[in-house]
Amino acid sequence: MRTLRETWHWLIDPVHWAGDDGIGHRLAQHVLLTLGCLIISCVIALPVALVLGHLGSGGALAVNLSNAGRAVPTFAVLVLLLLTPMGRWGQGPTVAALVLFAVPPLLTNAYVGMRQVDRSVVRAARGMGMTGRQTLLRVELPLSLPMMVNGVRIAAVQLVATATIAALAGGGGLGRIITAGFNLASTPQVVAGALLVAVLALIVEGVFESVERLVPLRAGGSR
Amino acid sequence: MPPDDCLARNEWICGAYLRTRRHILLDAVAQHLQLTAASVLIALVIAVPLALLARRWAGIAGPVLAVTTILYTVPSLAMFSLLLPLYGLSPTLVVAGLVLYSLTLLVRNILAGLRAVPEETRRAAHGMGYGPIRLLVTVELPLALPAAMAGLRIATVSAISLVTIGAIVGFGGLGNLIYAGMNTYFKAQVLTASVLCVLIAVAADLLLLGVQRLITPWARAARG
């Protein structure tokens, strides 16, 4: 109970919101890092998944990549990248690690979504004289959209988590409030930082939950 | 004259490191395995009854799945930090955090496995005079095993990777070595500990796959 009260006091103290180490700046860093890496990962993963899914090849790669991603500790990759020459480029290692862990769920979900499109619909599109590109963009893409958005959601939640761990390896973001709290042996600060991170992750999950509800409407109301 | 070996040159791959720090590495691996095993086993003991309850009473299934999903969304570093006031800087904190993560994966998969048991199979067992408990133990649970084992494999592999975050409270198994290696810029230690982590995860996954083949011989017969 006392910790809760102290955490609350820590959170509402305006001193902790201002400045470079303040909650405001750290939150902005965290959101920017997550959003930027999400966009980079989507640009890398989605076209590859769409083309592979359209051609129907590389399925084993797309699925196994996701499993392999789970076995590799995020923290280890962050530290390994930090110790390479890349470590000198400021946020470089963090961005690289974040993208590395966001790509597998994006790739797997988009690929599976493409392959789950009813083959008879694809054949019908071909029968109507659609070219490969038209089939991909007008038939397969809209039908696989719900799965793809689900992949983006998993990646986004993963990115928020990985960006937090980045603080352990000297990166920015809300995780810094937690690690600084540990260094100061200040439990209220640790708990306050953790609460902020947890709430941010839940908000991201909630936003995508609503987006996922809207997507099927655009995709023709079928689900 | 200072020694000119791979340790002094701070190389990534270093045989001398393996030789001289064998005990440190073995201790870290042991801690890693203990933390993983404890959390996955505790999660399993909680998950099975939860899944059975959720299967029996549909009203419970929604809230159980919702709560476990929310727990899974909380990033690992935040999860460990939130548990700090409850457990302090202890291995229990790491185990408690990992239990909460494994719970989601296990409950989901066990429930999916139980729900996938065909209704005809259940009715056939009923017709043969099976009571509810015998039906559960000899028909439903064995048929749910492949899905449950898939969940157990994912939970175990994830736990092995997440133990490293326990380094923030000083109980991270190989994560401790990675954390220390980061602060001292010790390349060989970071790479060796990371590779060991992945090897443990792969070995555990293969081991559980073997167990799954052993306890579900019918699945193999049907495939072959």
Side-chain angles (χ1 to χ4, degrees):
Chain A
M1 235 17 242
R2 221 182 92 236
T3 316
L4 274 183
R5 211 170 47 237
E6 284 172 5
T7 304
W8 177 245
H9 284 305
W10 194 94
L11 271 175
I12 57 171
D13 190 341
V15 172
H16 297 137
W17 284 83
D20 270 2
D21 288 333
I23 297 171
H25 183 231
R26 292 299 181 203
L27 181 66
Q29 267 184 335
H30 208 111
V31 171
L32 255 169
L33 201 58
T34 307
L35 226 91
C37 290
L38 187 64
I39 292 170
I40 298 176
S41 316
C42 284
V43 168
I44 296 175
L46 294 183
V48 174
L50 287 181
V51 170
L52 285 181
H54 177 68
L55 299 173
S57 59
L61 173 82
V63 174
N64 283 331
L65 206 60
S66 216
N67 290 334
R70 207 176 284 122
V72 180
T74 322
F75 179 46
V77 172
L78 267 163
V79 176
L80 283 173
L81 288 173
L82 193 73
L83 296 190
T84 60
M86 194 192 247
R88 269 174 257 136
W89 309 340
Q91 295 280 317
T94 310
V95 171
L98 262 73
V99 170
L100 268 178
F101 280 93
V103 162
L106 286 170
L107 204 60
T108 306
N109 275 274
Y111 179 84
V112 171
M114 288 288 288
R115 295 315 294 165
Q116 274 178 356
V117 172
D118 194 343
R119 285 299 105 189
S120 53
V121 175
V122 175
R123 276 201 296 271
R126 194 148 306 147
M128 284 166 66
M130 281 191 176
T131 61
R133 178 194 294 262
Q134 285 172 328
T135 317
L136 172 63
L137 293 178
R138 297 199 191 159
V139 180
E140 290 175 306
L141 181 63
L143 286 176
S144 63
L145 207 55
M147 249 332 242
M148 206 182 296
V149 174
N150 188 39
V152 177
R153 162 192 177 161
I154 297 173
V157 172
Q158 166 98 51
L159 280 170
V160 172
T162 314
T164 317
I165 296 172
L168 275 181
L174 287 172
R176 275 298 265 280
I177 297 175
I178 300 178
T179 49
F182 270 107
N183 289 338
L184 298 168
S186 157
T187 306
Q189 179 170 345
V190 170
V191 177
L195 273 177
L196 290 167
V197 171
V199 169
L200 180 64
L202 288 173
I203 289 176
V204 169
E205 175 99 356
V207 166
F208 276 96
E209 179 89 36
S210 1
V211 171
E212 275 182 55
R213 295 232 168 117
L214 293 176
V215 162
L217 299 177
R218 305 252 343 241
S222 60
R223 195 173 195 180
Chain B
M1 196 184 113
D4 182 39
D5 58 1
C6 55
L7 278 174
R9 288 194 301 270
N10 196 16
E11 284 173 5
W12 285 105
I13 299 166
C14 181
Y17 171 74
L18 286 179
R19 267 197 312 282
T20 53
R21 316 288 159 99
R22 211 179 56 225
H23 292 292
I24 300 176
L25 280 169
L26 284 178
D27 286 348
V29 168
Q31 189 186 63
H32 210 103
L33 291 176
Q34 282 165 4
L35 290 169
T36 309
S39 29
V40 173
L41 287 178
I42 295 173
L44 197 59
V45 169
I46 303 174
V48 173
L50 263 184
L52 289 176
L53 284 177
R55 170 86 185 83
R56 182 75 184 71
W57 290 286
I60 297 181
V64 164
L65 287 179
V67 169
T68 49
T69 305
I70 288 176
L71 288 175
Y72 198 68
T73 308
V74 176
S76 50
L77 188 64
M79 180 75 93
F80 289 147
S81 307
L82 283 173
L83 294 170
L84 183 67
L86 291 176
Y87 298 103
L89 298 171
S90 68
T92 322
L93 179 146
V94 179
V95 171
L98 293 174
V99 165
L100 292 177
Y101 282 118
S102 311
L103 213 52
T104 313
L105 296 164
L106 290 174
V107 170
R108 285 208 162 182
N109 277 272
I110 298 173
L111 196 57
L114 285 173
R115 282 182 174 162
V117 175
E119 190 55 39
E120 303 91 81
T121 311
R122 212 171 279 136
R123 260 186 262 157
H126 249 299
M128 287 170 70
Y130 278 45
I133 292 185
R134 197 161 154 227
L135 173 71
L136 178 71
V137 174
T138 61
V139 179
E140 289 182 307
L141 282 181
L143 286 177
L145 262 181
M149 285 300 290
L152 187 63
R153 281 169 62 198
I154 297 176
T156 308
V157 171
S158 309
I160 290 170
S161 140
L162 283 175
V163 165
T164 53
I165 308 297
I168 184 93
V169 291
F171 294 94
L174 291 161
N176 288 344
L177 297 184
I178 299 176
Y179 201 40
M182 177 184 80
N183 291 330
T184 54
Y185 218 80
F186 194 169
K187 289 178 178 172
Q189 175 155 307
V190 172
L191 185 66
T192 311
S194 306
V195 168
L196 278 175
C197 252
V198 175
L199 284 181
I200 293 175
V202 172
D205 196 41
L206 289 177
L207 184 75
L208 287 173
L209 185 65
V211 170
Q212 184 183 345
R213 291 252 167 101
L214 271 181
I215 59 176
T216 57
W218 62 88
R220 204 175 3 163
R223 223 180 297 138

